[in-house]
């Protein structure tokens, strides 16, 4: 209710301030007079119309590198002028990540605001864009919706490279993370493809002066050659973990160019295994040769090959280390790199070792010189194969074997 004032001409007037109503469209005005006797009478009515401000809005292209897009407003029309233009933007269906942007007036009369995904929890998906204009008379009106914008995670430059070409340590790097704002930390989840994620390690990054996050993955912590996967995660300022991207690197496998057997000695059951052309990332730590004859590998023996002056590696296999077992001897080769990775490098041709005939050297000795007790011994019994037990059948000649004892 606006109270009228009587002018000199006898005309009653009042001013209706639209800011008290904040609505566009048709307004109704009814006029009432209060007489001297206190009664109120209806004098009549009129109306007026407050125009609704209008505008045009468009969404600009998404800048993936920065995680932003612009909203531009043009063709702004408002009789009372413009107090402000606001742009609510959200991605979540429940609008839980909504943010109201204040558009800034440009020199050409348009209005613009920059939408940043960092203001929306780095949500990925379609961003909805609405506009509201508040006119100079206080009326706020919905100005329209712009086309939705597909927002994806910004590109973070992630690399993994061999530090010195030795295949022992790999430099993990993540750049352009500033688009995610203040980051508490960056971690590099690293594992070899071999056997899944059984060797998964999380390497914590350190931010250097250039703003790059860096860590070093050591192959000895994983023990495998081949393809490695690296996934990078950032802990954001609010404590949430955000996936930044992924990369990979390859650790070369150790190898040999040749394996041969030579010098088999039928008398002793010994032979030599020669490994040539052994190479590995960063150099060879050792070459091992497991050898066995038993089907269940119960007689397996691991030989440490010795490096020769010509670069070959050689071992001498002794049948004595295998219980003088006769039959086919299986021979495998393993090369361990200086990065700690052991690689199966191949097999040598099997060797058919014949039974070794050896002097049993059976003796009986008076141990104390008093002819009371005699030490019975049989040497080299194992040359006959895997020995379970040895028994000494003993008797005196007098009376035949009436006193035989085992």
């Amino acid at each position: 209710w606006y109270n009228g004032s009587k002018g000199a001409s006898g005309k009653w007037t009042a001013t209706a301030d639209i800011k008290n109503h904040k609505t566009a469209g048709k307004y109704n005005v009814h006029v009432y007079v209060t007489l001297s006797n206190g009664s109120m009478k209806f004098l009549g009515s009129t109306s007026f119309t407050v125009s609704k401000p209008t505008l045009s809005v468009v969404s600009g292209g998404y800048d993936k590198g920065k995680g932003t897009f612009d909203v531009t407003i043009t063709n702004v029309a408002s009789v009372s002028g413009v107090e402000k233009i606001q742009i609510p933007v959200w991605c979540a269906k429940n609008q839980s990540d909504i943010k109201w942007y204040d558009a800034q007036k440009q020199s050409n009369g348009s209005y613009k605001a920059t939408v940043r995904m960092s203001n929306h929890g780095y949500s990925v998906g379609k961003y909805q864009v609405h506009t509201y204009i508040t006119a100079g008379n206080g009326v706020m009106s919905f100005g329209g919706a712009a086309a939705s914008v597909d927002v994806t995670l910004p590109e973070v430059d992630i690399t993994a490279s061999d530090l010195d070409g030795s295949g022992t340590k790999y430099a993990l790097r993540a750049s352009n993370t500033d688009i995610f704002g203040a980051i508490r930390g960056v971690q590099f989840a690293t594992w070899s493809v071999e056997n899944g994620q059984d060797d998964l390690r999380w390497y914590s990054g350190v931010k250097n002066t250039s703003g790059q996050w860096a860590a070093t993955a050591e192959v000895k912590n994983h023990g495998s050659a081949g393809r490695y996967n690296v996934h990078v995660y950032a802990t954001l300022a609010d404590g949430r973990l955000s996936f930044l991207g992924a990369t990979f690197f390859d650790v070369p496998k150790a190898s040999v160019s040749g394996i041969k057997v030579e010098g088999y000695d039928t008398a002793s059951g010994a032979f030599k295994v020669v490994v040539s052309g052994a190479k590995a990332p960063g150099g060879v730590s050792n070459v091992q040769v497991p050898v066995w004859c038993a089907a269940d590998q119960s007689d397996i023996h691991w030989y440490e090959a010795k490096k020769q002056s010509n670069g070959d590696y050689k071992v001498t296999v002794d049948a004595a280390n295998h219980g003088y077992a006769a039959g086919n001897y299986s021979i495998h080769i393993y090369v361990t790199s200086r990065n700690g990775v052991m690689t199966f490098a191949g097999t040598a041709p099997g060797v058919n070792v014949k039974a070794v005939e050896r002097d049993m050297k059976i003796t009986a000795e008076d141990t104390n010189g008093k002819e009371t007790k005699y030490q019975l011994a049989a040497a080299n019994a194992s040359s006959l194969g895997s020995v379970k037990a040895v028994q000494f059948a003993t008797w005196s000649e007098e009376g035949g074997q009436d006193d035989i004892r085992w």
Side-chain angles (χ1 to χ4, degrees), residues 273-276 284-289 303-316:
V273 179
V274 181
V275 179
S276 57
V284 174
S285 177
N286 61 58
V287 175
Q288 293 173 292
V289 184
Y303 294 88
E304 195 83 21
K306 302 298 182 183
K307 191 173 184 179
Q308 309 299 300
S309 58
N310 65 351
D312 290 347
Y313 286 80
K314 184 185 292 187
V315 296
T316 298

Side-chain angles (χ1 to χ4, degrees), residues 25-187:
K26 183 179 179 180
Y27 277 67
N28 292 311
V29 181
H30 285 195
V31 184
Y32 293 83
V33 61
T34 302
L35 302 178
S36 57
N37 62 5
S39 61
M40 179 179 284
K41 287 191 176 183
F42 174 67
L43 296 184
S45 64
T46 188
S47 65
F48 61 90
T49 300
V50 175
S51 61
K52 181 180 179 181
T54 59
L55 55 80
S56 300
V57 58
V58 293
S59 300
Y62 175 58
D63 186 337
K64 189 174 182 179
K66 297 179 179 179
T68 64
F69 64 89
D70 291 334
V71 179
T72 303
I73 296 167
T74 58
N75 302 322
V76 178
S78 175
V79 174
S80 63
V82 176
E83 181 180 319
K84 63 182 177 180
I85 296 177
Q86 294 172 290
I87 306 171
V89 180
W90 69 94
C91 181
K93 290 183 178 180
N94 63 0
Q95 296 190 338
S96 57
D97 62 342
I98 193 170
K99 178 175 174 62
W100 288 71
Y101 293 86
D102 289 323
Q104 302 300 314
K105 190 173 184 178
Q106 309 299 300
S107 58
N108 62 359
S110 65
Y111 288 77
K112 186 167 70 173
T114 299
V115 176
R116 302 181 184 279
M117 69 179 306
S118 59
N119 292 328
H120 303 270
Y122 296 97
S123 296
V124 173
K126 289 187 178 296
Y127 276 51
Q128 307 300 323
V129 180
H130 284 190
T131 58
Y132 287 85
I133 179 172
T134 300
N137 57 14
V139 173
M140 175 186 276
S141 300
F142 174 64
S148 60
V149 178
D150 284 321
V151 172
T152 57
L153 281 175
E155 292 287 356
V156 175
D157 185 20
I158 298 171
T159 61
S161 58
D162 193 336
L163 270 175
D164 57 8
S166 68
T168 57
K169 295 181 180 181
Y170 287 78
L172 311 179
R173 302 288 185 266
S175 305
N176 193 35
T177 59
D178 289 343
I179 54 179
F180 289 91
I183 293 178
R184 294 184 185 179
V186 170
Q187 290 183 298

Side-chain angles (χ1 to χ4, degrees), residues 314-395:
K314 184 185 292 187
V315 296
T316 298
V317 177
D318 189 346
N321 294 326
H322 306 273
Y324 291 101
N328 187 66
Y329 277 52
S330 297
I331 305 164
H332 284 191
I333 310 298
Y334 287 85
V335 178
T336 300
S337 308
R338 294 196 184 279
N339 59 14
V341 176
M342 176 186 280
T343 302
F344 172 67
T347 62
V351 177
N352 188 21
V353 175
K354 300 186 183 327
V356 178
E357 295 183 5
R358 298 174 65 85
D359 182 2
M360 292 299 106
K361 293 184 180 179
I362 298 172
T363 60
E365 181 184 357
D366 184 353
T367 55
N368 59 14
K370 296 181 180 181
E371 299 183 349
T372 56
K373 294 182 180 180
Y374 286 78
Q375 179 71 48
L376 310 178
N380 301 322
S382 59
S383 65
L384 300 175
S386 179
V387 177
K388 184 177 181 180
V390 173
Q391 290 179 294
F392 297 84
T394 308
W395 69 94

